[in-house]
Amino acid sequence: MEITISFNETTNEPLYYQLYQYIKKEIQTGKIAKDTRLPSIRTLASHLKISKNTVEIAYQQLIAEGYIQSKAKSGYYVLEMETNFSSQIKQQPSNHLEQAFIEEESIYDFRQGQVDLTHFPFSIWRKLTNQCLSPEYRNNFLYGHQQGEPELRKEIANYLYQSRGVLCTPHQIILGAGIQQLLTLFCQITGNKEPIAIENPGYDGARMVFGNFGITIYPIELEHDGINVEQLKKSKAKFVYLTPSHQFPCGMILPYSKRIELLNWADSNSSYIIEDDYDGEFRYIGKPIPALQGLDRNEKVIYLGTFSKSLLPAIRMSYMVLPTKLINTFKTNFPLYEQPVSKLHQKTMQLFMENGHWERHIRKMRNIYTKKHSLLISSIKKIMKDRVQVIGAHSGLHILLEVHNGMNEVELIQAAKNKSVKVYPTSRFWMNAHKQTYPLIQIGFGGVSEELIYDGIIRLNEAWFQ
């Protein structure tokens, strides 16, 4: 191990004493564990640029006080402490996010955004990755294009046109490590300090990005068919961020008429629409509606998509389609920005799409998620009956449950947890205090097996109604 200490040159304490105190505290707090072999006197003296005598005196003091021992021809080792010093140190209380992170995972975890890993073609992905690692692909180990690899952007442009009706060229696409990173880049490109409107409730991750840039945010309420366009028109917003193909979190699909209204607003108001199509591939009822961007004839829509819901969240690969004016601004003002997505993942994804694996995978996952969605809805209706109301059951990988049993959101989640089921709150998606007649609970089904979906609903019913 190495020991790095910043010596205080302004104090009268000698260096050996500072080193002794530092190592002593590290041992007491458990940061240097028992049986750890300390650096040799020569090595530590060379590393810290101090004399060997200074290190030796510090070590001798630690030996005298029983913190370390010297083993012949082996080195200096930390001894076990009889007193648990670490328990005496005041611990900072962890926040609720940290606490949630360390909680034991539940078998029945209805988390939104999880995907079904059991049907992912791991062998194909591994084969293509190994191909990208072979010597003839040595360029994959170098820096890539700042917008993302051109061949992959070409594949994405073709896919978006065929599946979502998005009209763009590869030149307009920028790859990013997730939607939030792309929204951050968008704010930098536009230099945006103008007010922005967002759906209320809406994606809190986007709201956080805009808030961190100091942008004024106008919450726009939802109607039964999506964002309230009239309220948007009355606001002072110059941008609007929304999820029209599967409103997050309520799940409604914005109708064609409102899409045209939004485009007219953007055109007449010299504004931009940010369309987040986070899981637009999965629709279970009705005819598919093209992306809002595909209806735009005046380049007023910024389109965002991701592979996190349709492929794997871990590869951290999303994309943004910019109007010509904004992509030119990016190239002019940010020429030194490097591409944040792994070039190896990009090239693997390129081969995955070129060889037809992506199309087959999406088709397969649509069928799987359709079955899971149908099972979830039928299980809820059969087991919970009219004691709950399902909201947003037309597309995507989650639904909302409006629960009619007198419990509030916190009580519902805790009761579910007592039955080893994890469900999730929705209150954080509202910008302001929101009074709901009945609490709404978010239920994601993408990462849950069909067997566990049914059993999980039985457990929820027991937790909430028995």
Side-chain angles (χ1 to χ4, degrees):
M1 66 170 298
E2 287 187 344
I3 295 176
T4 301
I5 173 177
S6 179
F7 290 108
N8 186 350
E9 303 291 349
T10 63
T11 182
N12 292 327
E13 290 182 347
L15 296 183
Y16 84 85
Y17 185 77
Q18 293 185 51
L19 179 60
Y20 147 75
Q21 287 281 20
Y22 176 82
I23 298 175
K24 175 181 174 180
K25 184 177 180 180
E26 294 291 284
I27 294 173
Q28 288 180 343
T29 57
K31 293 180 180 178
I32 300 181
K34 69 173 184 176
D35 299 327
T36 299
R37 183 177 182 271
L38 298 180
S40 68
I41 292 175
R42 181 189 299 274
T43 300
L44 187 55
S46 176
H47 175 63
L48 296 177
K49 301 297 186 289
I50 58 178
S51 71
K52 289 187 291 183
N53 285 341
T54 298
V55 178
E56 185 173 9
I57 295 172
Y59 276 10
Q60 290 302 321
Q61 185 64 32
L62 291 167
I63 291 173
E65 295 184 16
Y67 286 97
I68 66 174
Q69 66 174 337
S70 175
K71 294 183 179 181
K73 298 182 180 180
S74 181
Y76 296 91
Y77 291 83
V78 175
L79 293 171
E80 183 176 4
M81 297 292 99
E82 294 183 4
T83 303
N84 186 4
F85 291 98
S86 60
S87 65
Q88 300 175 8
I89 298 174
K90 185 177 181 180
Q91 298 293 323
Q92 295 294 327
S94 59
N95 61 42
H96 67 283
L97 292 177
E98 292 172 332
Q99 190 64 37
F101 181 79
I102 64 175
E103 283 183 359
E104 183 177 350
E105 291 187 3
S106 172
I107 295 176
Y108 305 91
D109 188 355
F110 289 95
R111 179 178 177 179
Q112 181 272 334
Q114 297 282 44
V115 299
D116 190 323
L117 296 177
T118 58
H119 297 281
F120 182 76
F122 286 102
S123 59
I124 294 174
W125 188 264
R126 181 169 55 249
K127 178 182 177 181
L128 296 177
T129 299
N130 289 337
Q131 182 177 335
C132 293
L133 292 170
S134 58
E136 59 265 34
Y137 287 87
R138 58 174 56 89
N139 284 339
N140 291 344
F141 299 96
L142 303 175
Y143 289 108
H145 195 285
Q146 68 167 166
Q147 290 179 226
E149 295 309 291
E151 298 85 357
L152 175 57
R153 287 187 280 123
K154 179 181 178 182
E155 292 295 327
I156 292 173
N158 290 336
Y159 163 70
L160 290 179
Y161 176 70
Q162 294 171 13
S163 68
R164 304 296 297 127
V166 172
L167 303 172
C168 70
T169 66
H171 170 75
Q172 293 174 260
I173 297 174
I174 298 179
L175 295 186
I179 294 295
Q180 286 179 302
Q181 188 264 322
L182 286 172
L183 287 174
T184 299
L185 181 59
F186 163 78
C187 290
Q188 292 176 309
I189 292 171
T190 59
N192 185 22
K193 293 299 180 182
E194 297 284 353
I196 187 166
I198 63 172
E199 298 163 310
N200 190 40
Y203 176 40
D204 51 342
R207 187 172 72 233
M208 178 178 288
V209 172
F210 301 138
N212 287 340
F213 275 89
I215 299 170
T216 299
I217 299 174
Y218 291 116
I220 307 298
E221 303 305 315
L222 298 179
E223 298 178 307
H224 72 279
D225 58 354
I227 191 169
N228 187 325
V229 180
E230 291 304 315
Q231 187 179 346
L232 171 64
K233 291 177 180 178
K234 294 176 183 177
S235 75
K236 298 179 182 179
K238 298 294 290 184
F239 296 83
V240 60
Y241 166 88
L242 72 163
T243 49
S245 295
H246 183 223
Q247 200 283 328
F248 186 88
C250 293
M252 68 274 290
I253 299 169
L254 198 71
Y256 179 83
S257 58
K258 277 199 170 182
R259 294 174 186 238
I260 297 302
E261 277 191 87
L262 281 169
L263 291 171
N264 291 337
W265 167 83
D267 190 37
S268 62
N269 204 38
S270 300
S271 301
Y272 282 107
I273 300 168
I274 307 168
E275 177 183 13
D276 187 346
D277 201 19
Y278 66 101
D279 61 1
E281 291 89 356
F282 306 115
R283 179 180 174 89
Y284 312 116
I285 298 175
K287 296 179 180 180
I289 298 178
L292 186 62
Q293 195 271 0
L295 303 173
D296 179 22
R297 296 296 177 267
N298 298 305
E299 294 200 288
K300 293 297 182 181
V301 177
I302 293 92
Y303 179 87
L304 297 169
T306 180
F307 291 114
S308 293
K309 306 298 186 295
S310 52
L311 193 65
L312 291 174
I315 65 172
R316 306 307 303 144
M317 193 184 302
S318 300
Y319 42 87
M320 175 167 61
V321 179
L322 290 177
T324 304
K325 179 181 177 180
L326 294 183
I327 196 67
N328 290 339
T329 299
F330 170 74
K331 296 178 74 68
T332 300
N333 296 346
F334 303 92
L336 300 182
Y337 272 29
E338 295 290 352
Q339 170 56 226
V341 181
S342 163
K343 189 175 180 180
L344 290 174
H345 283 334
Q346 290 186 58
K347 299 303 288 187
T348 302
M349 189 65 197
Q350 173 197 327
L351 295 176
F352 194 72
M353 297 182 84
E354 284 179 350
N355 294 319
H357 302 303
W358 166 249
E359 183 180 347
R360 286 189 289 273
H361 177 67
I362 281 293
R363 189 163 56 244
K364 180 179 181 180
M365 297 315 297
R366 282 196 186 109
N367 292 331
I368 290 170
Y369 291 141
T370 298
K371 291 179 181 178
K372 288 188 177 186
H373 173 268
S374 177
L375 174 61
L376 177 65
I377 301 303
S378 62
S379 299
I380 291 171
K381 291 181 178 179
K382 176 182 178 181
I383 296 168
M384 296 184 176
K385 299 182 170 59
D386 60 354
R387 291 172 293 197
V388 299
Q389 180 179 348
V390 177
I391 296 174
H394 298 306
S395 61
L397 299 178
H398 77 271
I399 63 169
L400 299 186
L401 274 187
E402 184 181 86
V403 186
H404 309 160
N405 70 348
M407 292 184 181
N408 61 33
E409 183 184 80
V410 174
E411 292 168 338
L412 289 169
I413 292 172
Q414 184 58 50
K417 184 179 177 182
N418 293 340
K419 288 289 186 178
S420 300
V421 181
K422 291 181 73 174
V423 293
Y424 295 85
T426 61
S427 55
R428 72 176 191 269
F429 302 132
W430 272 268
M431 269 194 68
N432 39 35
H434 177 72
K435 290 185 179 181
Q436 188 81 17
T437 305
Y438 299 103
L440 294 175
I441 298 298
Q442 191 177 58
I443 305 286
F445 58 88
V448 189
S449 69
E450 293 185 28
E451 295 79 10
L452 293 182
I453 286 176
Y454 189 80
D455 291 344
I457 296 304
I458 290 176
R459 285 174 173 261
L460 280 181
N461 187 64
E462 293 172 352
W464 292 346
F465 302 109
Q466 296 180 13

